[in-house]
Amino acid sequence: MIIGVPKEIKNNENRVALTPAGAKELVKRGHTVYVQHTAGEGSGFLDEAYVEAGANILPTIEATYEIAEMIMKVKEPIEPEYKLIKEDQLLFTYFHFASYEPLTKAMVENKSVCLAYETVEKADKSLPLLVPMSEVAGRMAVQKGANYLEKPLQGKGILLGGVPGVLPAKVLILGGGIVGTQAAWMAAGLGADVTIMDVSLARMRYLSDVMPANVKTMMSNEYNVRKMIQNHDLIIGAVLIPGAKAPHLITRDMLKDMQPGTVLVDVAVDQGGCIETCKPTTHQDPTFIIDDVVHYCVANMPGAVPYTSTLALTNATLPYAIQLADKGWKKAAQENPELVPGLNIISGDIVYQAVAEAFDMDYTPVIKYLAD
């Protein structure tokens, strides 16, 4: 198979979808890998390293899309890329379709095959290609939140861990999944007073067992959320419904109940966000303020630490990429059921129900394409 790795063009996105080590594994199996010039530079991987691994360097993004049967990316294609994607071309990347209708419509129109990292799913319902970036984003949420609590950045002027004789900051985490767990570990390690809210009693029992003493759990419901936001300094939204829009746990009217300088970090913003007032921002311009509440809503948080993120992501994606390259997407999905929910759009049909429902568009069961 001919595999193309374009340079990411989303604002401040420095990750790359394939490392030189990954390229070498694919080349070893007889595949041809084309990498756009400087695609890996932001993550610390120079063109020379790809050439040494057996890949070929192409000068432009247009040339990379033109030659490839499978495109490997990190973030969803953005508007300048829509016209470069060909019919029946396989795209293997994060899409988060349910949060952005123009992208969904563009991929339906170009009749490509869209296999989304975020909906590849194991038998136990875990999301193996979302986990590594969720781990990075969860830890970064605390790092960024601690920073924006500083007074020059219009936060409350609170040190997250406090000092002897002064209470630490109060951190509220909405969601006890991968993001929430990693955020809790990070905040607890810095000495904050942490509360995780979730709707699963079983998950909260687990978190109570494994978390340090400065982390507490609480059932998530509107009453409890409204009560907790009144005196917490950093609030992290860490809610995920696979492939669908995140529900709004914090609504516009709740901001008036928060103290001035409270910091909100919505890690779910690339799935629509669980905080109603959040809209996607960039690393270049990461925050905005509504009702004296600081909102940090960067949609590609792990892009700020590209070396760590690229290695963590490609460790997870490469085994699937090898299957897709060796067998083609159809046979790979027939033989590995984990890939089936990853298929979101095929040849103009939306085959992932939550995406179709998000925009009231037609849904086609994926079996239409996988039946022999």
Side-chain angles (χ1 to χ4, degrees), residues 112-189:
S112 57
V113 179
C114 301
L115 210 159
Y117 289 164
E118 72 274 8
T119 56
V120 171
E121 189 177 291
K122 288 183 173 287
D124 64 1
K125 299 294 183 189
S126 64
L127 306 168
L129 306 189
L130 203 56
V131 166
M133 294 305 92
S134 296
E135 290 170 336
V136 172
R139 294 179 179 215
M140 279 190 71
V142 173
Q143 201 170 287
K144 292 295 182 184
N147 188 31
Y148 283 99
L149 276 172
E150 295 174 10
K151 199 67 179 175
L153 297 173
Q154 301 187 57
K156 287 184 178 181
I158 292 178
L159 182 65
L160 203 71
V163 291
V166 181
L167 290 173
K170 292 170 82 74
V171 177
L172 178 64
I173 299 169
L174 303 174
I178 303 292
V179 171
T181 301
Q182 295 297 322
W185 278 119
M186 199 77 165

Side-chain angles (χ1 to χ4, degrees), residues 148 153-155 261-264 287-290 292-296:
Y148 283 99
L153 297 173
Q154 301 187 57
T262 298
V263 175
L264 303 180
T287 61
F288 56 91
I289 294 173
I290 300 175
D292 295 323
V293 173
V294 180
H295 293 61
Y296 179 95

Side-chain angles (χ1 to χ4, degrees), residues 224-340:
N224 285 345
V225 170
R226 283 186 180 275
K227 189 167 85 175
M228 297 296 279
I229 61 172
Q230 294 174 23
N231 65 353
H232 277 69
D233 309 303
L234 169 59
I235 301 169
I236 296 171
V239 175
L240 173 76
I241 297 174
K245 285 192 78 159
H248 288 152
L249 300 189
I250 293 180
T251 53
R252 175 74 177 80
D253 69 292
M254 292 183 186
L255 297 192
K256 69 182 186 307
D257 297 327
M258 297 178 192
Q259 296 167 4
T262 298
V263 175
L264 303 180
V265 179
D266 195 345
V267 184
V269 71
D270 52 7
Q271 283 287 84
C274 65
I275 297 168
E276 187 178 12
T277 45
C278 269
K279 61 180 189 291
T281 60
T282 65
H283 290 291
Q284 206 169 311
D285 188 15
T287 61
F288 56 91
I289 294 173
I290 300 175
D291 292 354
D292 295 323
V293 173
V294 180
H295 293 61
Y296 179 95
C297 310
V298 174
N300 61 328
M301 287 172 66
V305 287
Y307 179 77
T308 299
S309 297
T310 290
L311 287 171
L313 179 62
T314 55
N315 285 344
T317 57
L318 185 62
Y320 294 98
I322 289 170
Q323 292 171 41
L324 293 166
D326 285 352
K327 302 169 184 174
W329 68 266
K330 185 174 179 179
K331 190 175 180 203
Q334 286 170 335
E335 294 183 9
N336 183 356
E338 295 173 13
L339 285 167
V340 175

Side-chain angles (χ1 to χ4, degrees), residues 5 7-8 12-20 38-46 50 74 302-314:
V5 182
K7 186 181 174 81
E8 299 293 327
N12 274 281
E13 181 50 74
N14 294 297
R15 291 172 289 181
V16 65
L18 193 66
T19 61
T38 71
E41 221 170 61
S43 295
F45 304 113
L46 301 180
Y50 287 102
V74 178
V305 287
Y307 179 77
T308 299
S309 297
T310 290
L311 287 171
L313 179 62
T314 55

